[in-house]
Amino acid sequence: MSTASDIDPAVVAGGIDPKRFRDLMARVCAPVTIVTTTDGDGPHGATASSFAALSQDPPLVTVAFDRRSALLARIVATGRFGINLLHHGQEDLAMRFASRGTGGERFAGTPWHTDTGLPRIDDAAAWVSCERYNTVDGGDHLLLIGLVTKACNVERPPLVYANRTFGTHSRFSERPRRPIVDHITACTSD
Amino acid sequence: MTTVTDTPHITVPAADEIVDRVRELQPLLAKNSAQGEADRRVVEESITALTEAGAFKIAQPRRYGGYETSMRTMLDVSAAVGAADGGTAWVVTLCNVCAWLTGLFPEQAQDEVWATTPDAKVSGVLSPTAEAVKVDGGFKVTGRWYYNSGSWHASWAVLGIPITNADGDVVDQGLALIPRADLGFEETWFVAGMRSSGSNCLIATDVFVPDHRIMPVPAAIGGNYATEHTDEVLYRSAFVPLLSLVLAGPQLGMGRKALELVTAKADTKAIAYTFYTAQSDSVAFQLQIAEAAMLIDTAHLHAYRAADDIDSAAVAGVYPDELTRTRVRADTGWVLDHITKAINILISAHGAGSFGENNPLQRIWRDSNVAARHAVTLPAVNYEVYGKALLGRDDQITPLI
């Protein structure tokens, strides 16, 4: 892969309109996750929409954080993090974990429990426990690469964010599945 | 009177005798109700007394010394406890319905629960909020189940799981019977009513459950149970109707008790800011009492109609059709609708004093209202389920019929 030093500095300086770039990225349909870790100060978490798959063998995922992120510093320190893929009904949690506040404030009133020593949001559509595998410089962000040590799925429509609007996969109900899966979903929804 | 069954050395009391024994405990249960709320757990003295009276035996097979009664008796016992304390009634009701569920398992599983500990209690949650991995001879189960009413007192639990194949694909839904000793426990029950039911969270982490302790749920919904004892009438009862209707039992007792409390004070309590020195002199009050009494009676008539639907089908050895089964769900919702309305009228008639912390009416009001929101008994949902069946529609909203 290329690094910033291989690229013509003129291109790095860019000359593109930052707003135009942000507007383009806003069109990208992104998963909505809450990334968590825990340390002596208790649970910490923040909303992130940069969660992506990277490798099957070993199982690796990536999530990017602003270098100034307090959560990032704690994850770098602990070497462990969890990723909660939120479900369609958890928009309020996405907003809560995206706004200003300490870990304690964000988790107070949030239904959560501890899983493999990490804070796990109750009822999320999926849960991944990660060990820090590597980090990659990415301008004003740092890309965390996580080694997946545990993965749990729940049959719930995932929360997505596009055009600065929350929603879900519009054809989730048409996904291929056995009828028993709908029975189980009906029996597990609150 | 008592009747002696075929089982040697075990005498099963008649249903009315069991209910009388529970009624004798009502003063004790009522005395402990405030403490149970404060502790968020029914006082052990109450549990012990109910255990000794046989209140937890009514849905246990006679093969283990249980009384193996009927849906009707399950309602009677829950209502009798409910008249003294809602939370205690909820624990009795849920432990009994989970004992009934245990009685649907193969005998090998039932033996593990009761053969050496006939007084063992079972709690449970139907929701398959878990993951199950197929292994040799059974499943490895991991999950968290909220709202385990009675889990403080139970030594086993029946817990919902998805059933998977070797590829990890979900192929069925099940109930796993798991010893409480294999499970973690978290206090998560912090609520406005039914506080003493202690409906906390049970947790499994990679717990092995052998095949004989797993019961398929869709098959059970259709009336196919695993028990070899097909001669045991109680364990032929319809699955979802019984699971739904039991939750009406505590409400019947709470409704009757609220009427009794308000009526008892009517001759000596004035109506504030009026010239009435006794509520009972007021025609408006008389109308309120009559309306509440009729609503409570209506609740009872529907509850027992539904109980008879379940019991008579079990005796006849037939499985009720879908329309009858959805009607039981609607009957259950009807009970809740009418009891909550009656209690509201009674509270308004009795006045603001209802809400004094030392007045049992406020606890009945909270307990009844919280319990009436149990997901499988919600009136609007259950009427929709019944309406779909009445109209013969193919867009039913639930597998739980």
Side-chain angles (χ1 to χ4, degrees), chain B residues 307-332:
Chain B
D308 288 344
D309 282 345
I310 293 169
D311 287 339
S312 59
V315 168
V318 296
Y319 204 70
D321 62 18
E322 204 160 291
L323 184 64
T324 307
R325 278 150 45 204
T326 57
R327 191 173 76 178
V328 174
R329 279 198 66 168
D331 278 332
T332 306

Side-chain angles (χ1 to χ4, degrees), chain B residues 153-172:
Chain B
H153 317 287
S155 47
W156 286 80
V158 281
L159 301 166
I161 57 165
I163 293 177
T164 50
N165 61 16
D167 296 335
D169 296 324
V170 174
V171 292
D172 204 351

